[in-house]
Amino acid sequence: MATFVNMIGSGVFMVSAALFFTRVVGLPLTQVGLGMGVAAGVGLFAGVPVGHLADRRGPREVYLWMLVIQGVAMAALVVTQSFWLVLVALCIGELARSAGGAARGPLVRGIGGAQLSSYRAYLRSVANLAGSCAAVAAGFAVQLDTRPAYLTLVLANALSFVASAAIVAALPPLPPVPAPPRANRWEVLKDRAFVAITVLDGIMSIHHQVLLFALPLWIIGHTSAPRWLVGAAALVNTALVVLLQVRASRGVDDSVTAGKAVRRSGVAFFVGMGVMAAAAGLPSWLALASIVVGIFVHTIGELWHTAGSLELRFNLAPAHAQGQYMGLFGFGTGLANMVAPTVLALFCIAWGVPGWLVLGGVFIVVGLVTPYVVRWAERTRPNAEQPA
């Protein structure tokens, strides 16, 4: 429930943030982009230290405070009118969001227990369902296009953090897992195999922006497919994730099967991107069919990658250091989200069909390499621990 409420609030803000800052606060679009970019960059660095704090103090308490801080930062946007105050509020909110993600990892692990794989997949399905509901809610506000409507969305997001915190507060506390005597304070940064997996997963995570960023530009600028497919693509992707993520995660319950899932995902991304790229120059109905097939195949790859990625980040992290390991993994994913629009613009839009195929080939290479790095990681667990 906390995940659903949180994602509803965050979703409505993400959809309407640029309009809120330009139409209500009165900032130029350039300052909005700069402020959100700086805040996202600052937030990347909070995960590891706060994750370590969650490991030592208990994940529920740390995650609870991060939700409260996000709620306060979001509420502050309602009364800010200058760029610098907006920037401060955004940075605080992003720091708390990144830190909260690191603290949430050990909490999910503790609650999921023996059914952790299924529980994680269920949470992702819930998050995607919430995102769809948020998009609908934000759509009404954007249609009204009034100051009260945008203020309502921001306040709703602030309240969603408070409501999520109240739900988390009702959970039983999870005591920290004692660290071995020789455990290093920042051992994740010395775990070269896990750092390598984080880098590979970050590269693979660029795929999340293919359907959201590259495909709409491709449909409108390079194909004869109907423009309504831009919105339908996101809906089809979300529906498939909601319906199939739990099923796709079955059997992905250790590092070996996770590495194989990531390997399969690389192939699926290459095929899906190739089919979507092939829509260029085709008649309207063939372009439509090609893109729909590509979306379906790409989403299958997304399901496999998510199942493998989640298993690796939990299974390869020592039980006493789940928070800081989640923090590093979050850094890789966050960095990928920041560079993805530029990478996709250069490869898929500027270069065209060859760029789609080359980037798909990169995903194949990453997928093929991942199982070998996973074996390396299993042989070199810190402090000679078995995977958690």
Side-chain angles (χ1 to χ4, degrees):
M1 181 59 72
T3 296
F4 185 82
V5 173
N6 192 353
M7 290 304 300
I8 283 280
S10 298
V12 297
F13 180 72
M14 288 174 61
V15 172
S16 59
L19 291 171
F20 167 77
F21 288 126
T22 54
R23 294 181 179 271
V24 177
V25 182
L27 298 178
L29 188 58
T30 53
Q31 288 188 351
V32 174
L34 175 63
M36 297 182 74
V38 170
V42 169
L44 291 177
F45 296 95
V48 174
V50 177
H52 176 71
L53 180 65
D55 290 327
R56 303 282 60 86
R57 301 296 181 184
R60 189 197 68 167
E61 289 72 18
V62 174
Y63 184 47
L64 180 65
W65 279 109
M66 293 304 105
L67 289 171
V68 171
I69 292 172
Q70 287 180 84
V72 173
M74 188 58 53
L77 292 176
V78 175
V79 296
T80 54
Q81 295 297 319
S82 75
F83 168 72
W84 295 108
L85 290 176
V86 168
L87 180 61
V88 170
L90 286 175
C91 286
I92 292 174
E94 278 297 310
L95 283 168
R97 185 198 61 79
S98 177
R104 183 175 177 269
L107 186 62
V108 169
R109 179 183 182 275
I111 296 174
Q115 303 298 321
L116 181 58
S117 179
S118 298
Y119 183 61
R120 290 192 310 253
Y122 168 76
L123 288 179
R124 183 161 192 267
S125 296
V126 168
N128 276 269
L129 179 60
S132 299
C133 296
V136 173
F140 284 111
V142 172
Q143 185 66 32
L144 292 173
D145 196 27
T146 62
R147 177 184 176 87
Y150 292 123
L151 288 174
T152 299
L153 290 182
V154 175
L155 288 174
N157 190 19
L159 289 174
S160 75
F161 289 120
V162 176
S164 298
I167 296 171
V168 171
L171 297 174
L174 294 174
V177 177
R182 296 184 180 180
N184 187 282
R185 180 179 178 86
W186 305 116
E187 62 187 89
V188 67
L189 301 179
K190 297 183 177 182
D191 189 347
R192 291 179 295 174
F194 192 85
V195 170
I197 288 176
T198 298
V199 171
L200 292 173
D201 186 79
I203 296 171
M204 192 72 91
S205 294
I206 292 174
H207 79 80
H208 287 295
Q209 297 292 328
V210 168
L211 300 184
L212 297 176
F213 180 84
L215 184 59
L217 296 174
W218 187 250
I219 290 172
I220 293 174
H222 296 80
T223 78
S224 59
R227 295 197 171 197
W228 55 259
L229 187 57
V230 170
L235 292 177
V236 170
N237 172 260
T238 301
L240 290 173
V241 171
V242 171
L243 294 174
L244 300 177
Q245 186 63 72
V246 174
R247 181 186 296 271
S249 299
R250 291 173 185 165
V252 183
D253 49 14
D254 57 32
S255 298
V256 174
T257 54
K260 292 178 179 178
V262 174
R263 183 174 61 196
R264 292 196 303 270
S265 74
V267 176
F269 291 143
F270 177 78
V271 174
M273 292 178 69
V275 173
M276 286 185 282
L282 294 178
S284 179
W285 68 274
L286 278 177
L288 170 63
S290 181
I291 291 172
V292 170
V293 171
I295 292 169
F296 181 82
V297 176
H298 190 90
T299 303
I300 296 300
E302 179 182 343
L303 295 170
W304 284 335
H305 172 248
T306 298
S309 175
L310 288 172
E311 182 63 29
L312 290 175
R313 73 182 69 182
F314 280 88
N315 196 45
L316 294 175
H320 69 274
Q322 285 275 324
Q324 61 171 288
Y325 272 68
M326 294 303 106
L328 183 65
F329 224 87
F331 179 90
T333 304
L335 188 60
N337 288 334
M338 288 183 64
V339 304
T342 301
V343 171
L344 292 171
L346 291 174
F347 277 83
C348 301
I349 308 305
W351 196 356
V353 174
W356 283 81
L357 297 177
V358 169
L359 188 57
V362 171
F363 291 145
I364 281 188
V365 172
V366 172
L368 291 174
V369 170
T370 296
Y372 295 99
V373 180
V374 168
R375 294 196 198 102
W376 173 31
E378 287 190 310
R379 293 194 304 267
T380 57
R381 288 306 73 219
N383 305 308
E385 287 191 35
Q386 295 298 318

